[in-house]
Amino acid sequence: EVQLVESGGGLVQPGRSLKLSCLASGFTFSNYGMNWIRQAPGKGLEWVASISSSSSYIYYADTVKGRFTISRDNAKNTLYLQMTSLRSEDTALYYCARHRLGWFAYWGQGTLVTVSS
Amino acid sequence: DIQMTQSPASLSASLGETVTIECRASEDIYSNLAWYQQKPGNSPQLLIYDANSLADGVPSRFSGSGSGTQYSLKINSLQSEDVASYFCQQYNNYPPYTFGAGTKLELK
């Protein structure tokens, strides 16, 4: 069974940093591209970043480019999102998701990031 | 970036009714479209990919159709467990992957 378990969320002040993790199990992690997708409270879905299976291709949404860094450790079956210079508009539930040919077949339960002073 | 316009924003329907949700892309996305269901308090779940292919385990009362810039999700014989928000997503031209704003489906 595919499982994606996010962690690392919490309350952080504007301008500070936070690192999210997503532990994958139930599939060969190194074979799949992975993503972070976020959802502000009561709002829709916003794709944040993607990383290919071998980290060769990395993409970011314009809203986070230059502030967020996606990475992965295939030996640890773990996806990361390093977030810096956080803003109030980054407040959201952050999901990791495994993609397949463009669609997101599996999602974690999410980790909540709240940016507030 | 491709913009996805989803309608209606909210919908109220009765049990057993047929419901249709629409999604319009700002340019041709060549059926590279997925639909997701998100029940309250849960993460999104894939329903449909490639505009009309049912994901594993999804009941056959769900179906997708469309081409070019116009797509739709149909739910036949609405069940109580279908109360959820529904989102479309294009993957023809990325980055970025883009989602519709969502449709909240409630029971009448």
Side-chain angles (χ1 to χ4, degrees):
Chain A
E1 179 195 4
V2 172
Q3 283 201 312
L4 300 168
V5 180
E6 302 92 337
S7 61
L11 175 63
V12 61
Q13 293 179 327
R16 302 300 290 265
S17 300
L18 201 62
K19 187 172 186 177
L20 307 183
S21 300
C22 172
L23 178 62
S25 60
F27 65 101
T28 304
F29 182 70
S30 59
N31 286 352
Y32 290 89
M34 297 295 296
N35 301 263
W36 288 99
I37 296 165
R38 68 186 181 183
Q39 187 171 33
K43 301 296 185 182
L45 300 166
E46 180 189 16
W47 168 80
V48 172
S50 288
I51 186 168
S52 63
S53 57
S54 60
S55 305
S56 298
Y57 301 97
I58 289 176
Y59 305 111
Y60 297 98
D62 286 345
T63 51
V64 306
K65 200 173 293 183
R67 300 187 300 122
F68 290 11
T69 302
I70 189 172
S71 62
R72 62 191 296 161
D73 185 335
N74 286 344
K76 294 182 178 180
N77 289 345
T78 303
L79 175 72
Y80 302 102
L81 186 68
Q82 176 69 55
M83 303 184 294
T84 64
S85 302
L86 282 161
R87 306 166 181 168
S88 57
E89 53 264 38
D90 296 318
T91 293
L93 188 60
Y94 284 73
Y95 296 105
C96 72
R98 190 185 96 177
H99 78 236
R100 170 174 166 74
L101 301 176
W103 61 86
F104 304 108
Y106 295 95
W107 300 62
Q109 284 304 115
T111 187
L112 181 62
V113 173
T114 303
V115 183
S116 174
S117 54
Chain B
D1 299 356
I2 295 177
Q3 309 303 316
M4 304 301 293
T5 303
Q6 197 172 330
S7 61
S10 63
L11 181 56
S12 182
S14 303
L15 291 174
E17 200 172 322
T18 294
V19 168
T20 300
I21 298 168
E22 308 279 348
C23 193
R24 176 171 49 87
S26 58
E27 62 185 73
D28 194 330
I29 56 171
Y30 302 96
S31 297
N32 291 307
L33 182 100
W35 290 96
Y36 301 88
Q37 177 192 64
Q38 185 177 31
K39 295 182 180 181
N42 288 353
S43 53
Q45 180 177 13
L46 178 68
L47 291 176
I48 302 279
Y49 61 94
D50 289 346
N52 59 17
S53 297
L54 209 60
D56 290 345
V58 175
S60 58
R61 64 179 181 274
F62 291 91
S63 63
S65 64
S67 63
T69 62
Q70 296 282 138
Y71 298 87
S72 61
L73 172 71
K74 187 163 78 170
I75 309 172
N76 287 317
S77 190
L78 188 69
Q79 306 293 305
S80 57
E81 60 263 33
D82 300 334
V83 169
S85 291
Y86 293 85
F87 298 91
C88 61
Q89 175 237 335
Q90 70 81 23
Y91 47 91
N92 184 66
N93 194 350
Y94 59 89
Y97 297 100
T98 47
F99 293 87
T103 296
K104 187 174 183 179
L105 175 58
E106 299 175 326
L107 283 180
K108 192 179 291 181

